[in-house]
Amino acid sequence: MPQLEILDLKAAYGQEPVLENITLSVEKGEIVSLIGPSGSGKSTLLRVLIGLLPPIAGEVHLDGERIDYGDKRTLRSLRDRLAIVFQQYNLFQNMTALQNVTIAPTKVKKRPAREVEEEAKTLLSKVGLGDKFDAYPDELSGGQQQRVAIARALALKPEVLLLDEVTSALDPELVNEVLDSIRLLAAEGMTMFIVSHEMGFVRELSSKVAFMADGHIVEIGAPARIFDQPEKDRTRDFVSKILRH
Amino acid sequence: MLARIVAEAPEFFSYYNIVFLLEAMLATFALSAVGCVIGFAAGFFLAVSRRTISVLLLPLRALTAAFIEMFRRIPFLVTLMMVFFVFQVLGLDISMFSVALISVCLIATAFIAEIIRAGLESVHRTQWDTAAAMNMNLIQTLRYVIMPQAWKIILPPVFSFFILFIKDTALASQIGVVELTYAGKVLNNKGFSAALVFGSILILYFILSYPLAKFGARLEQKLAAARNS
Amino acid sequence: MSYTLQFGQVTGYLPYLAGGAWISLQIAFLAFCGGMVIGLFGAMAKTFGGRALNHLVGGYVTFFMNTPQLVQIYFIYFALPDAGILLTSYEAVLIGMTLNAGAYLTEIQRAGFESVHRNEMEAAETLGMTLMQRVRYVVLPHIARVLFPPLSNQYILMTLGTSMAAIFGVEELTGRAFNVNAETFRSIEVFSLTAGLYIVVTLAATLLLGLFGRFMFRAKMRLY
Ligand SMILES: Nc1ncnc2c1ncn2[C@@H]1O[C@H](COP(=O)(O)OP(=O)(O)OP(=O)(O)O)[C@@H](O)[C@H]1O
Ligand SMILES: [Mg+2]
């Protein structure tokens, strides 16, 4: 049974449809990469999955159980198991790096503060921020904020992790560091949705690659197939452009 | 006019009159201060209730919106009369000070709710989203994420409103609340010249309001400077 | 003690009360226009004037902003006769409200003037505009757009403020409400109806001013 199954999902911002006919299933420990041009709906799909934008049609099943995005209780249990790293990081501006990481585990999951703090410090150190525990978001560079956001998501110990372009604001050295952490998580068997433009990385780690355009999944398959033998012209265009750089 | 003021001044500034005026000044201050504190608590509740999403709470949201929209559009004098007559009809014996206080609370609630609503909205939507994605409930989101960011936006206009009401409560003299303006009318009726009495009353209001206004302006500057930290 | 609301007797007075609302709007309009003139001179004095003028205007604004309008009118109405200035209650109310409005409108307009940025002027200059053209095409439209929302709000606030004229026997909306109350003794009904009229009048003002501002100045705003 797939861990997460999306069936014919549709979503809109107001009247404007942004996602249509999204069907996708993920086994436990799989990594699905979403690629596609800007504005194709990648971020929106992640927002729908974590319940920030209620879908207007279609179904999402988590471990075979249908998620009712209108129902508070199932929404809460869903968010208990999923975590997201936003494309714009979205750190809490009024909290230090450390507080950003500890707030949800202590206040939402009600875990003991001391234990959480130790864990948070380890996580932050792991992403290279061992000396920035007490820095506020506006005292951190974009790349540093992005890493805090990653640590914050990991501190929730999610079963499924949604990563939205987590390497976009990083310099090349850090890209590798962050990608290494993701590799490690993959090795530990965490299920992930990754939006990324790092094609080498996508190719190496993904179980499946979904190419999105205009709110649709144009093509989905193993990375080798999407990159080397795309069926659709749209995909071939995009892949050739992106690999050329 | 001046000669008369000078002639009356020694008698006017008698010990008794000064105490009377200071007590009235305190009543003016208390009316506005207590009203705003209660109005803040109630206004906060209203502003937050407007952010709920449950369908069940729809009537609450509609009621809240109507309350806020209405009480900001009724002159204080009319609100005073309504509260006054409602209590008279109910046969409840409460002091005129209480009638005025309740009126101030009603209006303060409506105005401050609107200020708080704007303050909550000033915090970027993504902060709300992120808190929701991390499973924080409304109270946790407000307490840990939104209010620590919004209070800097909320406080200055609330303070301005408080100062505004120090002056607007002058209307409470109309139903006989012994505050500064009423004290002026009493002394005027005792035969002191209007120029002396109301001139003094104006100065006393100024003494009350001006330092607070200065403080409010400084507060606003400080908070604006501290916004990005 | 039981009390049944009976609006029947009071609704007959609706036209009379509505007429009062019209008078309220007129008082607000007159005081607003007077206040705008004072405010325009005040704001210019504060922006371009010398130090003495600046202090003078500043003193006027500070004094009127930190004292109640009601007591200002008491002073004008009851104390000025001592100095030989006799005014009817209507005149006293109007003068008091105008002076009060002048103080607030000085501040509002000054802020509007200050929002015209130097670089906007310079940009216009590099386009080869003459001073008159710059004022006409850059400065005035900018000021109009910036000032329209706070001026509209001030007007609505002043409409509510006119109710204190009733205390001086002026028969505007609240004054007429007192009259109807004295005749019918249906106090709650009378004053709820009066409150309703104030709500309707100010809502209409919000709506009309909002549409006007959006249409004329493309001012994006959240009015009162
Ligand atoms: N809050 C919003 N309100 C209205 N429309 C939105 C909103 N957010 C996104 N959109 C629209 O939805 C579409 C999909 O946006 P989305 O952010 O999902 O794209 P994306 O694939 O993540 O792009 P990028 O690679 O640039 O991040 C776009 O056309 C965008 O304009
Ligand atoms: Mg995106």
Side-chain angles (χ1 to χ4, degrees), chain B residues 72-73 89 111 167 209-210, chain C residues 1 62 65-66 202 206 224:
Chain B
R72 292 170 61 239
R73 294 173 183 280
V89 158
F111 271 92
K167 291 164 281 161
S209 161
Y210 183 69
Chain C
M1 168 104 220
T62 312
M65 278 187 154
N66 285 293
T202 54
T206 300
Y224 193 74

Side-chain angles (χ1 to χ4, degrees), chain B residues 145-207:
Chain B
V145 180
I146 305 302
M147 280 315 281
Q149 299 181 59
W151 72 272
K152 294 173 195 165
I153 310 277
I154 292 173
L155 211 55
V158 168
F159 198 77
S160 305
F161 180 80
F162 159 60
I163 301 170
L164 187 76
F165 249 74
I166 286 182
K167 291 164 281 161
D168 279 9
T169 52
L171 288 162
S173 61
Q174 232 14 56
I175 58 166
V177 179
V178 188
E179 43 67 79
L180 209 40
T181 306
Y182 188 83
K185 293 205 298 194
V186 167
L187 292 173
N188 186 218
N189 284 341
K190 279 189 176 171
F192 291 109
S193 76
L196 177 61
V197 171
F198 291 116
S200 307
I201 297 294
L202 283 171
I203 291 168
L204 289 177
Y205 270 110
F206 189 84
I207 290 173

Side-chain angles (χ1 to χ4, degrees), chain A residues 13-14 16-19 36-45 47 87-88 164-165 195 197 212, chain B residues 125:
Chain A
Y13 283 116
E16 190 76 12
V18 203
L19 291 177
S38 184
S40 56
K42 307 179 296 285
S43 299
T44 306
L45 178 54
R47 287 174 62 82
Q87 189 170 2
Q88 319 294 341
D164 198 349
E165 307 206 12
V195 176
H197 291 303
M212 292 182 66
Chain B
R125 210 198 63 232

Side-chain angles (χ1 to χ4, degrees), chain C residues 19-210:
Chain C
W22 179 239
I23 296 173
S24 297
L25 279 172
Q26 284 173 351
I27 297 175
F29 183 75
L30 289 178
F32 185 81
C33 291
M36 275 303 276
V37 174
I38 297 176
L40 186 62
F41 283 111
M44 293 216 289
K46 279 199 112 179
T47 313
F48 306 113
R51 239 178 105 192
L53 201 55
N54 218 314
H55 273 88
L56 191 73
V57 175
Y60 156 68
V61 170
T62 312
F63 179 77
F64 274 84
M65 278 187 154
N66 285 293
T67 50
Q69 180 168 288
L70 177 63
V71 186
Q72 290 158 15
I73 301 175
Y74 273 145
F75 191 91
I76 293 170
Y77 190 49
F78 294 117
L80 290 190
D82 281 359
I85 305 170
L86 268 170
L87 297 164
T88 66
S89 59
Y90 185 80
E91 288 163 351
V93 166
L94 205 55
I95 291 173
M97 286 199 72
T98 305
L99 288 174
N100 201 277
Y104 283 90
L105 292 169
T106 297
E107 272 308 291
I108 292 174
Q109 294 188 72
R110 186 189 55 77
F113 288 1
E114 277 178 7
S115 75
V116 180
H117 290 297
R118 179 147 307 198
N119 44 13
E120 215 169 334
M121 281 295 272
E122 279 168 1
E125 207 171 347
T126 59
L127 292 175
M129 288 189 185
T130 65
L131 181 65
M132 277 313 285
Q133 285 172 324
R134 270 180 276 158
V135 168
R136 179 159 167 216
Y137 295 111
V138 181
V139 179
L140 286 183
H142 173 94
I143 289 183
R145 196 167 51 241
V146 171
L147 282 186
F148 188 76
L151 291 179
S152 304
N153 287 339
Q154 186 65 24
Y155 184 71
I156 293 170
L157 272 171
M158 284 178 64
T159 307
L160 296 177
T162 53
S163 86
M164 74 175 57
I167 294 174
F168 299 87
V170 177
E171 297 196 340
E172 41 64 76
L173 178 48
T174 307
R176 290 190 177 190
F178 281 120
N179 291 348
V180 177
N181 183 41
E183 273 179 45
T184 63
F185 296 107
R186 309 298 318 176
S187 314
I188 297 184
E189 292 88 335
V190 171
F191 283 101
S192 348
L193 198 63
T194 305
L197 281 171
Y198 275 109
I199 294 171
V200 168
V201 166
T202 54
L203 269 178
T206 300
L207 200 72
L208 289 176
L209 290 168

Side-chain angles (χ1 to χ4, degrees), chain A residues 177-190:
Chain A
E177 269 179 46
V178 169
L179 293 186
D180 281 343
S181 331
I182 299 175
R183 280 191 189 94
L184 211 64
L185 291 172
E188 287 165 7
M190 185 176 295

